[in-house]
Amino acid sequence: MNNDSSSRIVLALRKWISAAAPGAKLPSTRSLVAEYQASPVTVQKALQTLTAQGLVESRPGVGTFVRAVRTARPADYGWQTAALGAPPSALPSQSGTMRDVPNSVMPFHSGYPDRELLPERLVRAALTRAARGDAALSRPPAAGMPELQQWFAQELGSATPAGVSPPTPSDVIVLPGSQSGLSSIFRALVGTGQPLLMESPTYWGAILAAAQTGVRVVPVPSGPDGPDPVALDRAFEETGARAFYAQPNYANPTGAQWAPGRGEEVLEVVRRHGAFLVEDDWAHDFGITSNPVPVATRDDSGHVIYVRSLTKSVSTAIRVAAVIARGPARERILAHRAAESMYVSGLLQAAALDVVTQPGWQTHLRSLRQQLQSRRDLLVTSVREHVPQAHIELLPKGGLNLWLRMPDGTDLPRLTRDCEDAGVMIAAGTEWFPAEPAGPFVRLNYSGPNPGAYPEGARIIGEALARNGSR
Ligand SMILES: Cc1ncc(COP(=O)(O)O)c(C=O)c1O
C-alpha cells in the first residue's frame, strides 16, 4: 500500500472536512478513488486514519460522515463537589513513594524491591503451573485456598513457643495484599470516629487507610527500641482506644526492631486494656542481621491481629497477604472482606503457595539477606561520606529502608525537588507521621535498581543539602 498517497488523501480530506458542516456525508469510496486516482485500499486507509483522529465516523452500509467538531473546553466538575459536600476530614493523597519517574537515575523514594531481588525463576514457573491447574478456572473459598491458609498458619505456628497454642488454618484470611486488609481491620475492629493508636512515625498507607475509614489516629512515639510501654498505657487510658497498630519488626520507615522483651510488655498493656495489637509484619522476609519473631507468636487469646504480606518478597505482581486473627474479631474482618472483594484470585494464591513451598525459596531468602546487607552497607557508607550532616538514626537489622534525620531547618520540599532535578528521587519523611513530623527526616530505600550508583546518588543528595542550608 502506498502510504504517501494515503497521507495525501488524508490532508486533502481534512481540508474538505474543515469547510463542511458537522454530519455532512463524505463522497463515496468510489468517487474518492476516482478523484484521487488511488486504489480503494489506499482510500480506506485514509478514512481509517481520519476515523482514528476523531474527524469522521463511518456508519456501515450508509457512508462516512463528518463528526461534530469537539471544541476543547475546560472540564467543570464543580457540581460533583456540591453533590458530595466537604470530605469528612482532609484526606491524605497518595504517597509520593508511589510515583513512577521514568528517567530518574536513582529511585531511592520507592518502597518496592527491584526485580533482581525477586525469585524470578520460581515466580515464572509457579505462574505457568498455576495457569495449567484448576486454580485458573475455579473460585476459591472467601477466606482463601485451604492449602495457603495452612501455610500461613504453619509459618506463624512454627515460631510459637511451647505453652502457647499455635494458630489453625481456619484463623487465616487470605488477602489481595495487606493494604486492603488494614482498611478492613480498622473498619471492623475500630470503627468510624473511634480512636486508633499508631506508632509514630509509621507506614503512610496505614495512616491513609485509617483516614479513609474515618478512625481517629492517636500517635504514640516509637523509637529504635519500639514504643515506651508506659506511654502506650497512658494513651490507652486517656483515649479509651481498643487497638494499637504497630510494626515490631523492621518498621517502615525507620527500620526499627523492638528491643527483646518489648513485645511482651506491649502485649501486657494491650491485654490490660482489653484491646488489640494490629501487628503488621510486612518485612518478615527481609531480615538482615536478625530474625523477625512476631509478637503474635506469644498470643493465643486473640489480642494480636497478625498481618503478613508476601507482596514485596514473592512478587509485586503476585499480590497476596494474610491476616491471622482469632474469635469474633476474625469473623468481623472476614465479613468485611467479603463485602469488599468476596475472594482473592485463586491463580495468584496458587502461584504464591507454589513459590513459598519450593526448596528454592529458602535458598532465595538466604541470598536476599546477603544482597540486602551489602546494599544497606553501601548506602550507609555512601551517606556517611557524602551527606555527613545527615544523622543515621539506626542501622536497620532488616527491612528495605534507611531513615535519615537532616539538619534542623532543612527545607524538605526544596531538598526533594533539587534532588529530583538531578535525577535522584528521595522521600521526605513527612508522610510517615500521623501528626506533626518530629524533625526533617528522609527515607532512602536500598532495594531499588542500580545499587552501583549509590555513592553518586548520595553525592547528589549531599550537594543539594549544602545548597539547601545556604539559602
Ligand atoms: C508497613 C507496610 N504495611 C503494608 C504494606 C502493604 O503491603 P501490600 O503490598 O501487601 O498491600 C506496605 C507496603 O508498602 C508496608 O510498607
Side-chain angles (χ1 to χ4, degrees):
M1 190 191 313
N2 187 336
N3 273 335
D4 281 355
S5 61
S6 149
S7 310
R8 181 174 54 86
I9 300 170
V10 168
L11 288 174
L13 283 178
R14 282 185 72 112
K15 207 162 157 194
W16 186 91
I17 290 164
S18 65
K25 188 172 182 194
L26 266 69
S28 68
T29 305
R30 191 185 301 169
S31 25
L32 292 174
V33 164
E35 184 172 346
Y36 295 107
Q37 307 211 330
S39 70
V41 176
T42 306
V43 168
Q44 280 304 335
K45 170 130 191 331
L47 291 175
Q48 277 164 8
T49 306
L50 291 166
T51 307
Q53 291 172 348
L55 295 172
V56 299
E57 62 190 342
S58 82
R59 296 181 207 147
V62 186
T64 304
F65 298 84
V66 176
R67 287 189 65 175
V69 181
R70 296 218 196 110
T71 46
R73 60 188 166 83
D76 180 4
Y77 303 122
W79 69 269
Q80 292 194 353
T81 312
L84 294 169
S89 60
L91 295 175
S93 55
Q94 202 192 41
S95 162
T97 63
M98 298 298 288
R99 279 179 63 208
D100 290 320
V101 183
N103 294 324
S104 72
V105 185
M106 185 48 62
F108 282 130
H109 71 303
S110 165
Y112 290 91
D114 186 37
R115 63 190 278 178
E116 74 168 40
L117 296 177
L118 301 178
E120 181 167 343
R121 204 177 42 77
L122 296 179
V123 165
R124 290 194 186 284
L127 284 168
T128 307
R129 277 191 286 269
R132 288 202 200 107
D134 284 349
L137 294 164
S138 52
R139 178 180 64 76
M145 258 174 56
E147 301 85 342
L148 186 58
Q149 287 180 293
Q150 179 161 5
W151 182 84
F152 276 115
Q154 224 159 39
E155 185 192 55
L156 188 60
S158 64
T160 301
V164 181
S165 347
T168 64
S170 61
D171 296 329
V172 176
I173 303 168
V174 176
L175 303 166
S178 56
Q179 180 65 35
S180 60
L182 294 179
S183 295
S184 296
I185 293 166
F186 297 163
R187 207 176 286 276
L189 306 188
V190 181
T192 310
Q194 298 302 313
L196 167 67
L197 307 185
M198 273 193 179
E199 282 177 297
S200 177
T202 193
Y203 169 48
W204 62 262
I207 301 173
L208 183 64
Q212 283 286 355
T213 313
V215 309
R216 191 159 52 81
V217 172
V218 179
V220 176
S222 194
D225 290 336
D228 174 3
V230 176
L232 181 66
D233 189 51
R234 203 169 42 238
F236 269 118
E237 196 71 57
E238 284 173 5
T239 61
R242 57 179 192 208
F244 174 44
Y245 167 80
Q247 303 168 64
N249 288 294
Y250 320 135
N252 175 8
T254 60
Q257 180 175 36
W258 290 3
R262 185 61 52 95
E264 277 92 347
E265 291 171 312
V266 166
L267 201 47
E268 187 47 45
V269 173
V270 165
R271 285 197 181 115
R272 207 166 40 244
H273 288 276
F276 296 101
L277 167 66
V278 181
E279 177 177 19
D280 186 345
D281 201 13
W282 72 284
H284 191 81
D285 297 315
F286 302 136
I288 296 177
T289 52
S290 71
N291 292 315
V293 180
V295 177
T297 56
R298 282 158 235 148
D299 173 61
D300 57 10
S301 51
H303 283 282
V304 181
I305 309 294
Y306 177 70
V307 185
R308 158 77 158 112
S309 176
L310 292 172
T311 309
K312 290 191 169 96
S313 51
V314 168
S315 164
T316 46
I318 301 180
R319 193 152 181 230
V320 167
V323 56
I324 304 185
R326 312 187 200 207
R330 189 247 184 209
E331 301 316 312
R332 293 197 189 191
I333 297 166
L334 181 59
H336 190 266
R337 290 311 311 156
E340 191 79 348
S341 65
M342 312 262 272
Y343 63 91
V344 178
S345 155
L347 197 65
L348 299 183
Q349 296 192 56
L353 178 66
D354 186 320
V355 171
V356 297
T357 51
Q358 294 294 328
W361 173 241
Q362 293 306 326
T363 319
H364 166 77
L365 290 180
R366 278 193 293 277
S367 119
L368 178 62
R369 183 178 268 262
Q370 282 164 6
Q371 292 185 69
L372 287 177
Q373 175 153 20
S374 54
R375 281 160 165 269
R376 179 201 67 178
D377 293 349
L378 177 59
L379 184 57
V380 167
T381 313
S382 307
V383 166
R384 288 201 173 124
E385 182 175 349
H386 297 289
V387 203
Q389 318 89 308
H391 176 61
I392 297 177
E393 293 270 298
L394 83 129
L395 183 65
K397 294 183 181 144
L400 308 176
N401 306 300
L402 196 60
W403 185 239
L404 304 177
R405 187 180 179 122
M406 295 300 178
D408 286 344
T410 300
D411 178 345
L412 279 184
R414 181 176 165 216
L415 181 67
T416 45
R417 219 173 30 246
D418 285 355
C419 288
E420 183 170 341
D421 289 347
V424 174
M425 306 291 297
I426 61 172
T430 328
E431 35 184 290
W432 282 273
F433 288 93
E436 289 78 10
F441 290 91
V442 162
R443 193 196 76 169
L444 302 184
N445 181 297
Y446 49 79
S447 69
N450 205 7
Y454 285 174
E456 176 60 8
R459 193 187 58 73
I460 288 171
I461 298 172
E463 280 177 8
L465 188 60
R467 282 201 302 280
N468 200 277
S470 66
R471 198 158 42 132

